[in-house]
Amino acid sequence: MQTSRRALASILAVAGISRVSAVPYNTFDGEGFPACNDVALVHNATSVDDIVAVVKNASANGTPVRASGKGHMWYNTMCSDNPNTIIIRTEEVNQISNLVLGEGAESGTVDIEAGVTFLQLAEYLHENNASMGYTLVNWNITMAGAVAMGGHRSAIREDSMVAAGVLSLDIVNGNGDIVTIERDETNDDWLAASTSLGLLGVIVRMKFKIYPDFKVFAKQETLDEDDVLNGDIYGMIAPYATANFWWWPYMKKFHWRYYDKVPLTLSSQEGFQNTFSITDTEAFIAKSTLESGKYLATSNMFFETTAFALWSAPNFREKTTQKAITEWPVYGWNYDVLIGGLYPDQKPEWEYGLHGATMELAFPVTMANQMLKRVREAFDAEAKKGIIMTSTYRSGINIKFGRAYYDFLGQVTYNTSDGADWSKGAIMFDFPSFKPTIGDGKRFNEDFYPRLAKTLVDEFPCRPHWTKNTREVFGNATKNLDPDHLARFKVVREKFDPQGIFKSIIGEILGLYD
């Protein structure tokens, strides 16, 4: 232990820190929501060279290191449980450079550093008449973090994996060396790095594919549950550039949202989508209702009914005036409509104490109807016991989709040993729910959520989202992953990080350190 502490002190000296104490490293939800149970240091890196220096020192002393962008996590799975772990925060390493997009060109490239967020890149590209296409996630995520953890948009017609836009990666490996990995689907290094879970090292730079800027429309329709559960789900999603459902199980309704490209001159409207931001009044009502919903199903029914009505209207403002847009369809620049962000006069829901838990699993889209019907059976089984399950999230249960994309650990990879047909893409069942702060902190009918996860993992060839599941779900879902993919990933992992300094709980569960 004394040797370990001396080694850690050496690394802390590089960062200008002298005191060592193990504390939780939290997710974006803040205190009480650890991404890592105990870490010794959170180092705010200022440059690529700074990251290299910290990793080299960690490597020399065998000290565990994990990179983090915005902490877009839900559970304590980001690190190992080693209290000597150092977190390298990458937010300040956020240079954008070398934009190349010739006049009339169909595509170009741009170089971005580790801490660049989707919002930062989108604004930069828009100022230069460019865009990143449809390989988008949320505004509060770094792009490198999204690539490492397999982040994705909801689309079947277009590429949905953020990694699909990456042309090359610069990774600081376990020796502190920068290794460049070019996109090459015949190279196991690339197939591992494409969804690396941060186990190969720190992604410090990426060359990303870009496109001329464009406008899109957004349209939403309300469907009866039966229209989806017994409908042509693939046929409703695949024709559009991006599309998804939101499920309201108590209402037995779905919202069907779809987007696609439009001519620049079709509309002068500049819609901007609200993701996560709410007013003080909305937050007070929502929190009061949902906290009581820990004990009262009627409060949860009221919340879902109210949220459904609110989500039926456009969650958009006109960007130039900040006035609410009240009718579908909505038009605007691609990122503003597809993702958007926070309204300038509002705050994100988690700053009001509206916190959540979630579970996300991916299934072959060919099994979409079967999977959703199985979830409905689970809801109905609770109802027979007098327990009414609802959505306790502002936009319902998120049903997303992903175009097939080949790598080792991505949710939408294909040609796997399970024998399922993933070639048409995947459907993702993302079930966020409110996490109370009163009493024991458990959700209404808490036991239902792990039971549902176990049922789906046991009955379907599904795969976990790498930031949205508990350790228990990962442990059970590992059996559904291709053993050959895991074995080949492990070989690459051992080459890049022979000491295992980038180890995480997920990597351990997957057997990548056995």
Side-chain angles (χ1 to χ4, degrees):
M1 178 62 74
Q2 186 175 3
T3 301
S4 175
R5 287 291 175 178
R6 281 200 300 268
L8 184 55
S10 170
I11 299 164
L12 297 178
V14 172
I17 304 293
S18 58
R19 186 172 63 86
V20 178
S21 60
V23 295
Y25 178 71
N26 296 318
T27 72
F28 67 97
D29 265 317
E31 187 175 351
F33 296 86
C36 306
N37 288 333
D38 289 298
V39 302
L41 168 71
V42 178
H43 174 62
N44 291 307
T46 57
S47 67
V48 172
D49 288 343
D50 184 14
I51 294 173
V52 168
V54 173
V55 174
K56 279 186 179 295
N57 276 272
S59 175
N61 296 287
T63 302
V65 180
R66 292 291 290 171
S68 177
K70 303 288 284 186
H72 196 81
M73 297 280 299
W74 275 259
Y75 299 105
N76 60 342
T77 58
M78 195 178 90
C79 301
S80 68
D81 284 334
N82 188 328
N84 288 330
T85 298
I86 292 175
I87 301 293
I88 300 176
R89 285 289 296 272
T90 62
E91 283 187 82
E92 296 177 30
V93 186
N94 58 13
Q95 294 299 305
I96 303 172
S97 60
N98 299 327
L99 186 150
V100 178
L101 183 63
E103 185 174 352
E106 293 184 358
S107 64
T109 60
V110 68
D111 295 343
I112 58 177
E113 289 185 337
V116 173
T117 64
F118 284 90
L119 179 59
Q120 181 189 355
L121 181 60
E123 291 178 340
Y124 175 89
L125 292 177
H126 182 61
E127 291 170 359
N128 289 277
N129 301 312
S131 77
M132 65 188 91
Y134 298 104
T135 49
L136 309 169
V137 194
N138 289 329
W139 57 272
N140 64 330
I141 305 179
T142 63
M143 296 193 64
V147 170
M149 304 310 290
H152 54 81
R153 178 69 184 172
S154 180
I156 285 179
R157 192 188 82 191
E158 306 289 338
D159 284 323
S160 60
M161 288 279 287
V162 180
V166 178
L167 300 177
S168 69
L169 296 167
D170 285 353
I171 293 181
V172 179
N173 68 13
N175 297 320
D177 301 322
I178 296 178
V179 178
T180 300
I181 307 174
E182 304 284 346
R183 169 177 290 279
D184 179 0
E185 292 187 6
T186 67
N187 182 350
D188 278 11
D189 287 0
W190 168 258
L191 296 175
S194 178
T195 305
S196 69
L197 312 187
L199 302 178
L200 307 186
V202 184
I203 299 173
V204 290
R205 278 187 292 261
M206 300 193 297
K207 184 175 290 293
F208 208 82
K209 190 174 183 179
I210 59 172
Y211 305 88
D213 211 355
F214 61 95
K215 287 186 173 181
V216 298
F217 77 86
K219 194 170 190 309
Q220 183 170 289
E221 299 180 35
T222 300
L223 304 175
D224 290 334
E225 187 177 87
D226 185 68
D227 293 337
V228 177
L229 268 59
N230 293 299
D232 179 7
I233 292 175
Y234 184 87
M236 284 188 273
I237 301 299
Y240 299 100
T242 177
N244 69 289
F245 294 122
W246 286 289
W247 190 4
W248 306 89
Y250 172 63
M251 301 286 294
K252 294 191 175 182
K253 298 285 186 181
F254 277 80
H255 281 134
W256 172 32
R257 179 85 61 93
Y258 48 94
Y259 310 76
D260 219 330
K261 188 175 180 179
V262 296
L264 294 177
T265 56
L266 180 65
S267 172
S268 61
Q269 188 178 65
E270 292 191 26
F272 182 85
Q273 182 171 183
N274 169 20
T275 51
F276 306 124
S277 61
I278 54 176
T279 66
D280 293 350
T281 301
E282 289 170 338
F284 175 78
I285 294 172
K287 187 167 174 57
S288 300
T289 302
L290 290 168
E291 292 284 12
S292 67
K294 172 178 172 55
Y295 304 107
L296 301 173
T298 50
S299 294
N300 297 330
M301 296 175 200
F302 171 75
F303 178 84
E304 182 180 308
T305 303
T306 304
F308 171 82
L310 292 172
W311 204 254
S312 296
N315 57 317
F316 291 83
R317 286 182 181 177
E318 167 59 47
K319 191 173 184 179
T320 59
T321 65
Q322 291 301 311
K323 291 184 178 180
I325 295 174
T326 59
E327 295 182 355
W328 300 102
V330 175
Y331 300 93
W333 293 102
N334 68 314
Y335 186 89
D336 289 345
V337 174
L338 295 172
I339 298 295
L342 298 178
Y343 289 159
D345 57 340
Q346 296 182 12
K347 294 188 294 187
E349 56 197 35
W350 50 87
E351 291 190 14
Y352 290 101
L354 287 162
H355 302 298
T358 194
M359 168 192 70
E360 181 179 320
L361 299 169
F363 308 77
V365 73
T366 53
M367 304 179 79
N369 300 81
Q370 183 182 347
M371 181 273 290
L372 293 176
K373 288 178 181 179
R374 184 65 185 91
V375 176
R376 169 44 68 190
E377 288 178 9
F379 289 142
D380 291 345
E382 297 303 296
K384 289 178 181 178
K385 296 184 287 186
I387 302 172
I388 306 301
M389 296 302 299
T390 71
S391 167
T392 54
Y393 190 68
R394 64 181 297 188
S395 55
I397 300 172
N398 196 357
I399 310 297
K400 300 173 286 189
F401 298 84
R403 180 179 174 135
Y405 173 89
Y406 189 71
D407 63 8
F408 288 150
L409 297 182
Q411 279 188 299
V412 293
T413 195
Y414 53 93
N415 289 343
T416 47
S417 61
D418 56 23
D421 180 9
W422 294 86
S423 64
K424 290 187 176 181
I427 178 172
M428 289 82 166
F429 178 78
D430 183 2
F431 192 0
S433 51
F434 176 74
K435 193 173 189 311
T437 59
I438 61 175
D440 59 9
K442 294 182 179 179
R443 296 167 288 184
F444 175 80
N445 198 21
E446 175 70 38
D447 180 60
F448 174 79
Y449 297 95
R451 283 192 285 112
L452 177 62
K454 187 175 189 309
T455 295
L456 295 176
V457 170
D458 289 349
E459 296 183 11
F460 292 89
C462 64
R463 301 167 181 159
H465 187 290
W466 297 116
T467 69
K468 293 185 176 182
N469 291 288
T470 63
R471 298 182 182 199
E472 292 74 21
V473 172
F474 287 128
N476 191 30
T478 298
K479 65 191 177 192
N480 290 341
L481 304 180
D482 190 316
D484 180 63
H485 281 198
L486 290 174
R488 291 164 67 186
F489 184 97
K490 184 179 180 181
V491 170
V492 179
R493 199 282 300 163
E494 291 172 342
K495 179 171 71 171
F496 274 73
D497 182 26
Q499 295 186 76
I501 66 170
F502 297 115
K503 182 188 298 184
S504 73
I505 285 293
I506 295 176
E508 291 180 286
I509 290 172
L510 296 180
L512 300 174
Y513 296 89
D514 295 345

